[in-house]
Structure formats: structure tokens, C-alpha cells
Amino acid sequence: MNHELLILDPIDLAASQITASSALAAFPDDALADPDPKIVYKAAAAGAVTITVDLLADTAWDTVFLGFTNVDGDDSWAIHRATAAAPSTWISTLATTTLRSAGAWGQRHHGLAVLAAPVTSRYIRLTTTTTAALSAGVLLVGQRMALTWPQEYGGGRKPVERGLIQPTLGGGIARWKLGRTAAYRMTLGDLTDDELEALWRTVDEHGEMDPVLIVEQYAAASARQPKMHYGRLTGLDYYARADAQKSRYELIVEEWR
């Protein structure tokens, strides 16, 4: 079944847990642990770069997101993992494949890897091969929330303008153009008690301050970038019991670009 919706509660990563094989001094690998996608890591040169994540202990995970990159359609990545007991034995987890997600436009693009089932390791190693020196703003690792039923119909996106518009006395419009982002609204109407508990834990841990990743139709053959929403939950309200066995929760994620 295509569960249609991926909700990722990312593992908290300190700067010391991420190490890149190449980095410019002014744009160190520390930036990948910063939630702000405009604080970026940059490699010193084009070609192959490895980014290693130390989870500090064997941990279950199934999703890796490398976001806000400068990669083009010919660039690739692969993922390997190693356990605490065998740190030098790297197991292939994602064979070399295109890094840039389908449907990307603009200057910054995302890579998303979703495994068929969770794996357990202490170390995760991303190997990227790019025609220009790699730049990336966000690295997330975690285990996605699995839903029995997809979201309800009626979800959708809208633009969110940061600029200001003021009608003038002469009948014109004064504009102060600033940034523009987007928001995505979804309704989960058939949550089991276990799913509700897992979702509430994510909401309680992140609130409206800390970023999460939500992806529409992630199980498609190629997840599309316009359906990847990295940002904060907003407008949080009560969840409600829909019937004797299921609960309903409406969520909105406002993108952080």
C-alpha cells in the first residue's frame, strides 16, 4: 500500500557527529547540523565527497534527507552503514543513484532516501559525486512514522508571502518584496491509538519551533521535490477521537527555505 505521507522526526545531531571529507573553512560540515537551511556546508572541490554521521550508538533509521543542495541532474549519491561492533565494515544501504529529486526547480535541490524497512547502525556514510563543489544546507536522519491509512482528501499547499502590500491614496499599490515560502495542510483521520501516541510524541517534542520533514507520496518511484516540506508545524490544535478506535488530527507545516 502506498501510505502517501512520510512524517520524519529527525534524530538530534550535534555538530561533532557530522564529518565531511572536504570542507571550506568558512562553510564547515558543522552547518549540516544547523536547522537553518541558509547556513550551508560547502565542499572544497568538485568530485567525490563523503559525509559521515555518528549516531553514538546503534540506532534504528530508515530515512536520509540531504536538502537545499546545489546538485544537478547528473550528480549522484550512495549510502553505507556500519555498526558499533564493526565500525570498519561498511554495508551498502543505497546503491549509487541520482541525488537530485524529480520535479526540482530553482537553485537548491533535495535528495531523499527512504529504505523499505528500518536498519540499525551507529555510522551512516553518504558518498556524493558532483560536477560542482557540493553545497548543502540540511542533513536529516531518522525513522519515519508509518501510517496504516493515508491522509484524507482535502489537503493542499498555499504560498506564504513575507512581503508587505499597501494600497496608496492614488489608487496604486506599494510593495515591499521579501521572501516567499509555502505551507502544507493535511488531515490524518484514521489514526490508531499507537499512531496517535507516536504522532503526539513528535508534536510534543518539536512543538511549533523545531523543524520536521513531511513528504507527500513518498512511496512513489521517484519522490518529487515540490512534495517535500521541511519546516515547522504551525497552528497546532487539539486532536479528537473520530470513533471508538480511531482519532483525527489536522496538521500544518510551514516551510523553512
Side-chain angles (χ1 to χ4, degrees), residues 61-178:
W61 58 275
D62 57 21
T63 303
V64 177
F65 175 77
L66 185 64
F68 306 94
T69 76
N70 64 335
V71 300
D72 65 26
D74 295 325
D75 295 339
S76 63
W77 67 338
I79 299 176
H80 292 75
R81 69 184 192 274
T83 64
S88 60
T89 301
W90 292 96
I91 302 168
S92 178
T93 307
L94 175 72
T96 300
T97 189
T98 301
L99 172 51
R100 178 174 165 175
S101 297
W105 72 77
Q107 297 180 332
R108 299 197 296 171
H109 312 126
H110 305 328
L112 177 70
V114 182
L115 307 182
V119 295
T120 299
S121 70
R122 172 173 175 175
Y123 302 99
I124 304 170
R125 176 164 289 174
L126 283 60
T127 302
T128 65
T129 304
T130 58
T131 54
L134 175 67
S135 173
V138 172
L139 174 59
L140 303 179
V141 175
Q143 190 169 346
R144 70 187 184 273
M145 179 179 173
L147 300 176
T148 304
W149 300 101
Q151 62 178 312
E152 294 184 352
Y153 290 118
R157 288 167 269 176
K158 75 167 188 175
V160 178
E161 289 283 1
R162 300 298 189 197
L164 300 173
I165 296 176
Q166 177 66 52
T168 66
L169 295 177
I173 296 176
R175 300 179 302 162
W176 292 268
K177 295 184 70 173
L178 301 174

Side-chain angles (χ1 to χ4, degrees), residues 2 4 6 65 98-105 108-114 157 184 213-230 255:
N2 181 348
E4 292 191 354
L6 177 152
F65 175 77
T98 301
L99 172 51
R100 178 174 165 175
S101 297
W105 72 77
R108 299 197 296 171
H109 312 126
H110 305 328
L112 177 70
V114 182
R157 288 167 269 176
Y184 179 68
L213 177 69
I214 292 177
V215 183
E216 308 167 60
Q217 297 177 331
Y218 74 92
S222 181
R224 299 183 63 80
Q225 180 165 318
K227 297 188 176 184
M228 301 179 188
H229 311 288
Y230 170 79
E255 294 179 0

Side-chain angles (χ1 to χ4, degrees), residues 178-228:
L178 301 174
R180 180 184 300 113
T181 184
Y184 179 68
R185 182 182 66 191
M186 74 218 83
T187 300
L188 307 176
D190 299 288
L191 294 167
T192 66
D193 287 347
D194 288 343
E195 291 168 351
L196 179 63
E197 182 177 320
L199 182 58
W200 172 249
R201 184 167 59 246
T202 297
V203 171
D204 190 39
E205 288 178 351
H206 293 266
E208 297 191 358
M209 295 292 177
D210 299 324
V212 298
L213 177 69
I214 292 177
V215 183
E216 308 167 60
Q217 297 177 331
Y218 74 92
S222 181
R224 299 183 63 80
Q225 180 165 318
K227 297 188 176 184
M228 301 179 188

